[in-house]
Amino acid sequence: HCSSSSQLLLTLHFLETTLSSRSSLALLLIDSISAFYWSDRSEGGANISKQEEKLSKSSELLGRLLRDYRITIFATCHTIRRSTSGPSSSDTDRPYLCRTWQRLVTHRLLCSRQEAGPNQTASDRGDREQRRCQVFRVHCTSSSSTGTKGSRTSSFRVTDGGVEFI
Amino acid sequence: MVILREGMCPGLDEDLLRSLRAADIRTVEDLVSSDTEELAQKCAVSYKALFAIRRVLLAQHTAFPVSGADLYEELLSSTAILSTGNPSLDKLLDSGLFTGEITELSGGPGSGKSQVCFGVAVHISHHLKQSVIYIDTNGGLTAKRLLQMLQSETTNTDEQMEALQRIQIFRLFDVYALLDCLYGLCGGGLQQASVGGGSVKAVIVDSVSAVISPLLGGKQNEGMSLMIQVAGVLKSMAKDFSVAALVTNHVTRSGSGDVQPGLGASWSHVPRTRILLERVETPLSAGRSGLRSATLIKSSRQPLHVKQEFDLGWWSRAGGGPSGKRKLDQTEP
């Protein structure tokens, strides 16, 4: 559990030594990369580059880990709505983390909640199946190094056994 | 940002510190991020010594790695589910408040958030015999109301006194005092508050939006970062000390006119479970002014938008008086 972005940076350095000793590690999950966004912003004062400094250092380190050790990184990021952009833009997909991180991201998955599951009419089944299943939609935008963009959308449901794609 | 100081680890003496500072290395992060070989050459120390210092500093300051199996065992043994005392609310919450998590109650004025908090506090201190910390930022908590609720549970005055003693109340009115209080609790206050044999199992903050929303808005970031700081302290307190955190929040109207909890999108990621309280406005309920409906708006365990109606008077059901926060005909002590 990291409690600040400096601790995150140090933990990533520590991970580097762990990764070099155990070559079977292939996946790094970060939940969430945007947790320290507001504390970094207030610590940096009025200077934007100072605000983003810690996250960009962590991102550089992550980039190096990606290249040297061939691991995959999954990171979650909370969406926030900027109140300064007018009432018409309820765009929740605006990337707001620093540029170094954004350059590192190759696939962006935007998850959203869909209202009303498809199996509401089954009245002869048991009570559990009648429960409205929350369906989530994920929209994936990939940008490869050559600059081409592709996108896909899928739906999934969260069940006791994990995430079930529809 | 941890600044390098002499004596932090063996081998870090003043000369080395001076040469490091000359090479523009002031904090632990700088030391760890820089190239060790280059730095060893610049500061005229052996590579081995610098590498050893780097390793010790890393071990001291990084987060402690826990294996999944250990985490699972720890969660199994330390998580408890605290019933709120009201069966309808318990059903909504998947049998109660979970320790280690933050639960949020939001609702408009008069929707019963504080009453629910009182009821939960009384239930935990009397039935479950555990201590509760109640942080009141509204000034809505009176001992008379707690006593009234307890009197409807038991007529034994000793038991009432014991239960009242297990509820520790803090009255604060700004966010810095709140942060102070929460840090103090984390630092040792929770152990001190464990009187009467029961350890602290719940921390109730009523309401967190009253101290934070005046700071939000505008171009300053300080309000947001204070809010996230409060969130961080509450979460780490809930996890480290195995307490259930219950917070209340006000409501605002969203762009499309729906009622939604306040404090914005950044706060919405903080609580694990969120409940929206509303008054029930039907002709049938005109006689029962204590009816409220609770909707589950965020939960990792239950399907959403499940509504439950419950009676605020449940916690004083053995014949208490009106569920008002303050009695107008009695003076405050």
Side-chain angles (χ1 to χ4, degrees):
Chain A
H1 291 294
C2 290
S3 53
S4 70
S5 42
S6 339
Q7 208 180 24
L8 177 63
L9 182 60
L10 292 174
T11 312
L12 288 175
H13 276 289
F14 180 73
L15 269 182
E16 197 176 355
T17 44
T18 324
L19 278 173
S20 53
S21 56
R22 291 163 62 170
S23 53
S24 58
L25 284 175
L27 179 63
L28 176 63
L29 299 156
I30 303 181
D31 181 14
S32 67
I33 196 89
S34 60
F36 309 120
Y37 174 67
W38 287 110
S39 12
D40 281 350
R41 270 192 76 168
S42 79
E43 258 184 54
N47 190 347
I48 299 219
S49 57
K50 209 158 172 269
Q51 285 171 10
E52 297 180 344
E53 190 192 325
K54 289 200 200 140
L55 193 59
S56 54
K57 278 204 190 148
S58 304
S59 312
E60 274 168 32
L61 182 55
L62 282 172
R64 209 170 66 214
L65 291 178
L66 270 175
R67 281 190 304 269
D68 295 342
Y69 298 95
R70 316 301 289 161
I71 56 174
T72 316
I73 299 183
F74 260 78
T76 60
C77 179
H78 294 152
T79 54
I80 58 175
R81 276 189 289 271
R82 288 289 171 96
S83 57
T84 49
S85 46
S88 56
S89 55
S90 53
D91 181 15
T92 49
D93 185 19
R94 199 161 306 142
Y96 58 91
L97 295 176
C98 65
R99 287 236 176 276
T100 329
W101 171 255
Q102 286 175 34
R103 272 196 291 261
L104 214 52
V105 173
T106 41
H107 301 276
R108 235 170 150 250
L109 289 99
L110 182 66
C111 300
S112 57
R113 196 159 58 207
Q114 248 178 359
E115 297 303 331
N119 35 346
Q120 270 179 313
T121 54
S123 51
D124 45 325
R125 287 197 222 151
D127 219 54
R128 284 190 99 202
E129 265 110 321
Q130 260 187 346
R131 203 168 74 162
R132 215 178 346 163
C133 282
Q134 199 69 58
V135 179
F136 299 91
R137 189 162 32 140
V138 62
H139 177 74
C140 173
T141 340
S142 334
S143 49
S144 65
S145 49
T146 56
T148 50
K149 288 202 168 196
S151 66
R152 277 189 56 179
T153 311
S154 299
S155 308
F156 65 92
R157 213 183 286 145
V158 178
T159 60
D160 281 341
V163 167
E164 196 186 289
F165 278 88
I166 306 174
Chain B
M1 285 295 190
V2 190
I3 304 204
L4 281 172
R5 263 192 291 271
E6 122 175 56
M8 251 180 163
C9 83
L12 198 64
D13 53 6
E14 224 180 292
D15 300 325
L16 182 56
L17 262 182
R18 222 173 299 138
S19 36
L20 281 175
R21 250 180 243 141
D24 210 17
I25 304 281
R26 279 192 194 83
T27 63
V28 175
E29 291 90 23
D30 291 335
L31 178 61
V32 167
S33 326
S34 54
D35 187 10
T36 323
E37 230 177 272
E38 216 181 283
L39 200 56
Q41 276 174 3
K42 253 199 250 180
C43 303
V45 284
S46 77
Y47 175 75
K48 262 180 129 180
L50 201 58
F51 191 75
I53 292 178
R54 181 180 188 267
R55 205 171 43 177
V56 170
L57 282 176
L58 257 187
Q60 277 176 352
H61 290 103
T62 55
F64 191 69
V66 181
S67 82
D70 290 339
L71 190 61
Y72 180 63
E73 289 295 327
E74 200 193 307
L75 277 179
L76 268 188
S77 62
S78 60
T79 313
I81 307 182
L82 305 167
S83 157
T84 56
N86 186 320
S88 330
L89 205 52
D90 279 348
K91 204 158 83 169
L92 205 59
L93 285 172
D94 196 14
S95 65
L97 298 171
F98 278 65
T99 57
E101 291 181 5
I102 303 183
T103 312
E104 179 196 76
L105 281 176
S106 48
S111 54
K113 319 184 282 287
S114 299
Q115 293 299 315
V116 173
C117 290
F118 297 163
V120 170
V122 160
H123 181 84
I124 295 179
S125 70
H126 182 252
H127 285 279
L128 303 178
K129 306 247 186 301
Q130 305 290 337
S131 304
V132 176
I133 302 231
Y134 197 107
I135 301 181
D136 182 23
T137 62
N138 275 333
L141 176 66
T142 61
K144 282 190 170 48
R145 176 61 184 145
L146 290 178
L147 186 59
Q148 184 186 43
M149 283 175 141
L150 274 170
Q151 275 165 348
S152 65
E153 302 271 343
T154 167
T155 45
N156 184 341
T157 41
D158 285 332
E159 276 183 32
Q160 286 167 9
M161 276 306 120
E162 253 182 56
L164 275 183
Q165 273 179 342
R166 282 191 211 112
I167 305 179
Q168 193 177 19
I169 301 177
F170 291 90
R171 283 207 169 88
L172 353 128
F173 299 98
D174 68 273
V175 69
Y176 298 103
L178 176 63
L179 280 172
D180 242 347
C181 174
L182 290 175
Y183 281 126
L185 285 173
C186 283
L190 278 181
Q191 278 94 330
Q192 282 174 3
S194 308
V195 290
S199 54
V200 176
K201 275 285 168 236
V203 173
I204 303 180
V205 183
D206 175 23
S207 73
V208 75
S209 56
V211 289
I212 293 182
S213 53
L215 300 171
L216 295 178
K219 295 222 187 287
Q220 295 100 338
N221 299 322
E222 199 174 281
M224 299 296 284
S225 90
L226 284 169
M227 178 170 87
I228 298 296
Q229 222 180 332
V230 168
V233 174
L234 270 178
K235 267 197 209 166
S236 56
M237 181 160 54
K239 278 218 146 37
D240 296 338
F241 297 99
S242 256
V243 295
L246 179 65
V247 298
T248 57
N249 194 359
H250 66 287
V251 288
T252 54
R253 287 213 179 263
S254 70
S256 48
D258 303 320
V259 172
Q260 64 174 14
L263 290 184
S266 301
W267 176 262
S268 68
H269 299 290
V270 171
R272 184 69 71 89
T273 315
R274 301 178 96 191
I275 293 186
L276 185 66
L277 291 178
E278 283 163 322
R279 285 174 161 266
V280 175
E281 300 282 352
T282 65
L284 293 160
S285 69
R288 303 167 62 187
S289 59
L291 266 192
R292 298 290 182 271
S293 96
T295 319
L296 195 61
I297 42 180
K298 176 181 177 188
S299 165
S300 30
R301 283 177 288 267
Q302 305 263 64
L304 292 190
H305 302 300
V306 180
K307 262 197 180 176
Q308 276 284 339
E309 278 191 10
F310 67 101
D311 196 344
L312 279 183
W314 180 269
W315 285 286
S316 20
R317 64 190 175 282
S323 56
K325 268 194 223 184
R326 286 206 151 100
K327 281 191 176 297
L328 296 171
D329 50 343
Q330 289 177 357
T331 48
E332 277 295 307

